[in-house]
Amino acid sequence: MYRILKKIAATGLLTEPPPEPDERLWLARQALSEAAWEVVGRSLAIRHVDAGSCNGCELEIHALNSPYYLLEGLGIRFVASPRHADLLLVTGPVSKHMEQALQRTYEAMSEPKRVVAVGDCGCTGGLFGESYASCGRVANVIPVDVAVPGCPPTPVALLQGLVTALGRPMPQGAFQARREEQT
């Protein structure tokens, strides 16, 4: 035990510095908040369904609730019932066992229904594709309004997908600089 404590004391803290404020993230958050109030007339309620994913996309969705992205601060929340939801967020390829549950969830939502397919698996079926155990992409089971590709997509890409699902264009500088950095 003494050896472990000595190693801890010698190593010190190994944490990352906090991220710097990002103007693009602020623009995306502002666009999402404004779009939610204009389209829905109140805070946006999201129902998330895991249709058979590996949980990589879920980790990024959970990051949206972190203090850095702070969806709750915008009035956007995840709800347990599709009857309370304005938007359906679906991750993973739809397994045969989840096909009926996903259809029922979609049918239980009130109009207008907005569906966002998240991740490569939700958009195209990913590695799993269509097989005896998988229906493939979400669009094979229910209508999809917006697809957010990536394995897994970043939280910022998820924010962009939510804004697009609400039928609002992104502000000019929100993601343009980010795309230039990646090329």
Side-chain angles (χ1 to χ4, degrees), residues 20-133:
E20 295 295 322
D22 189 358
E23 180 72 21
R24 296 170 304 210
L25 177 60
W26 185 83
L27 288 171
R29 291 183 70 230
Q30 184 178 10
L32 182 57
S33 179
E34 290 172 3
W37 283 101
E38 283 179 19
V39 174
V40 183
R42 56 181 163 74
S43 63
L44 181 68
I46 301 172
R47 171 69 172 124
H48 170 241
V49 174
D50 179 352
S53 75
C54 68
N55 291 334
C57 294
E58 281 73 15
L59 292 173
E60 300 301 321
I61 291 169
H62 289 298
L64 289 175
N65 284 327
S66 73
Y68 186 70
Y69 297 99
L70 196 61
L71 271 190
E72 283 284 329
L74 300 175
I76 299 168
R77 65 192 191 290
F78 289 90
V79 295
S81 173
R83 288 182 175 82
H84 301 148
D86 303 309
L87 186 136
L88 184 62
L89 200 64
V90 185
T91 57
V94 182
S95 68
K96 294 284 186 182
H97 296 290
M98 283 298 294
E99 180 180 14
Q100 187 178 14
L102 183 59
Q103 288 171 342
R104 285 183 178 176
T105 301
Y106 178 75
E107 291 166 6
M109 290 178 64
S110 61
E111 293 291 338
K113 300 176 183 181
R114 292 175 182 85
V115 178
V116 177
V118 176
D120 288 342
C121 294
C123 297
T124 65
L127 296 171
F128 306 100
E130 294 181 37
S131 68
Y132 69 94

Side-chain angles (χ1 to χ4, degrees), residues 159-175:
L159 285 175
Q160 183 179 16
L162 293 176
V163 172
T164 306
L166 293 173
R168 186 99 185 268
M170 287 302 296
Q172 201 62 9
F175 294 98

Side-chain angles (χ1 to χ4, degrees), residues 3-18:
R3 219 177 20 193
I4 294 172
L5 293 173
K6 186 177 175 184
K7 175 133 177 119
I8 291 171
T11 304
L13 296 176
L14 296 176
T15 59
E16 297 177 3

